[in-house]
Amino acid sequence: MRTTCASMDIIDEQQAVIQPLDAGWYEGRVAAVDMLRLDLLHAVISGNKWFKLKKNVAYALTNGYQTILTFGGAYSNHLVATAAAAKAYRLQSVGIVRGLHAADALTNTLQECIAYGMRLHFETRTNYERKNDAGFQRQLSEQYVRTFVIPEGGANQLGREGAGEIAKLIPESYTHICLPVGTATTFTGLRNAMPLQQVLYGFAPMKQGRYLEKEIEEHVNASGPVWQLFDDWHLGGFGKHSPSLVHFMNEFYEINQVPLDIVYTAKMMYGVKEMIVRGRFDSTSRILCIHTGGLQGNSSITRQLCF
Ligand SMILES: *Cc1c(COP(=O)(O)O)cnc(C)c1O
């Protein structure tokens, strides 16, 4: 059986530096706006995806599993991060993809999954809805050898616990922590591991994203830091974007030399900036925005970007 130890980690978390953003960008309206660059950890297993996967992969290895099976859409950063992590740890990987049409014209993300050796298995949208159903998972798992199932988005207890480790990278001097939210797995894990006096703000990049509050409430500890979700900055909906968002990303890069991803971190920073301008933070606030990576998702708009 394989053994694991911390030194086998394929990612050095110390590479996630905190970068101050240019004060001119937020016009000195708050005491500080800095960014925790989780995007620097790895080109593909970037940002929060590593934290959600690390304990799942360790569990699979120590328990003698040979295959990791997980779920995602055709643009899923989680799917490609899982494929790359599985390859690095010499595990087989299987991706259950939402929608049969996804097989007809493979997205860059799915092509990358295949390049990392992931086997893709396309399901109808109706079948895919059963992704959390134990019977359906068993039926899929049985087709592969010693299969460990990770839910879509790494949304399980091990995923939340791994995400909680992001708290170790956050100094206590910050008053507000800002984080983009998809399944809210990272948000919930971080919320449960953060110091009490900090406030956690989540930015949902989809319409009516506050449906996630229910999901979060199910898994957050009864006591802990104050948290709040915002869904005002979806800019057209999940995966959609407006010309103003692309303009914002280019401007943000020119000022701060930080590339943002169009699905998550760009919308969060767009929202953070508007909140600052509208006076939603008092002037003593020290804000830390978490760059959760996902830059591979920009491949569809590279021609519009200056970075
Ligand atoms: C997946 C992803 C998220 C969302 O993480 P959840 O834990 O699902 O909420 C945020 N940012 C980026 C860049 C991502 O790829």
Side-chain angles (χ1 to χ4, degrees), residues 48-49 52 77 180-186 261 264 292-294:
N48 61 335
K49 297 300 182 278
K52 292 194 288 183
N77 290 333
V181 169
T183 60
T185 309
T186 311
D261 85 289
Y264 291 102
T292 40

Side-chain angles (χ1 to χ4, degrees), residues 11 39 55 67 74 78 109 121 134 138 164 169 193 216 249 253 255 280 288 298:
I11 281 179
D39 59 308
K55 285 181 188 268
T67 309
H78 164 71
T109 304
H121 178 119
R138 202 174 323 110
L169 304 174
I216 295 168
M249 289 167 75
Y253 184 79
I255 297 171
R280 292 289 301 267
L288 183 72
N298 282 351

Side-chain angles (χ1 to χ4, degrees), residues 14 24 79 85 103 139-140 193 216 287 291:
Q14 297 310 315
L79 219 49
Q139 185 192 319
L140 293 166
I216 295 168
I287 304 169
H291 193 317

Side-chain angles (χ1 to χ4, degrees), residues 210-230:
R210 286 178 58 193
Y211 76 90
L212 289 163
E213 286 172 351
K214 225 176 105 255
E215 194 74 26
I216 295 168
E217 272 153 14
E218 265 176 44
H219 298 290
V220 288
N221 300 335
S223 64
V226 172
W227 59 272
Q228 197 175 341
L229 271 197
F230 300 94

